[in-house]
Amino acid sequence: VGRLKALVVEGAFLIRSLFFLQFGFSFQSSEIFSAETFPWAAGITGAIFLLRAILLRVLKVPLWPLLSVAPRGLITILLFLSIESKNSISMMNKSLIVQVIVLTAVVLMTGILTIGKQDKSVVRDIH
């Protein structure tokens, strides 16, 4: 069972890596630094964490570390890639998607680093 679990984890990592590589090759690196979509990306990221904080408060769950662990990544990319061009919104472009993914990853990284300094056992429980 342990070997099967390790095989499944490694296979999932491989599949996620291939999707991220495919997505990475599909856009220009200058799209990440698009100034016209950055306010929207920051607003979406802020809304994600604000709604998450409200939900955690309503459920009476401690905010930290769960607030910072809300990354967007593979599912966001898969959903974005599955949208047909005739159904897409012009504002929702690759630049906005990448910026939201990067911003949520930065919050996740900051949260894990902060938690790691406070209590190393919490970081082990997250993984």
Side-chain angles (χ1 to χ4, degrees):
V1 173
R3 286 183 179 259
L4 179 62
K5 182 179 178 182
L7 182 65
V8 168
V9 168
E10 294 297 326
F13 174 76
L14 178 65
I15 290 170
R16 280 193 306 267
S17 298
L18 290 175
F19 277 111
F20 278 110
L21 281 172
Q22 187 256 340
F23 187 68
F25 283 123
S26 71
F27 69 92
Q28 301 291 326
S29 59
S30 62
E31 291 176 344
I32 296 173
F33 303 109
S34 173
E36 68 183 47
T37 58
F38 187 76
W40 285 102
I44 291 170
T45 303
I48 288 170
F49 288 102
L50 178 66
L51 290 172
R52 190 167 177 89
I54 292 169
L55 181 66
L56 290 172
R57 283 283 185 211
V58 167
L59 295 174
K60 295 181 173 82
V61 177
L63 280 179
W64 209 251
L66 293 177
L67 181 62
S68 68
V69 184
R72 301 289 170 254
L74 180 61
I75 191 66
T76 307
I77 292 170
L78 290 175
L79 290 172
F80 176 74
L81 293 176
S82 69
I83 298 173
E84 297 177 12
S85 59
K86 66 180 181 178
N87 295 330
S88 67
I89 300 170
S90 61
M91 184 194 70
M92 295 297 290
N93 54 22
K94 290 179 189 174
S95 178
L96 181 65
I97 300 298
V98 170
Q99 287 174 346
V100 169
I101 291 170
V102 169
L103 287 173
T104 56
V106 167
V107 172
L108 172 67
M109 178 190 67
T110 305
I112 288 179
L113 288 174
T114 305
I115 295 164
K117 290 179 182 176
Q118 293 173 358
D119 184 10
K120 299 229 184 254
S121 66
V122 173
V123 174
R124 276 185 252 119
D125 292 340
I126 290 173
H127 298 298

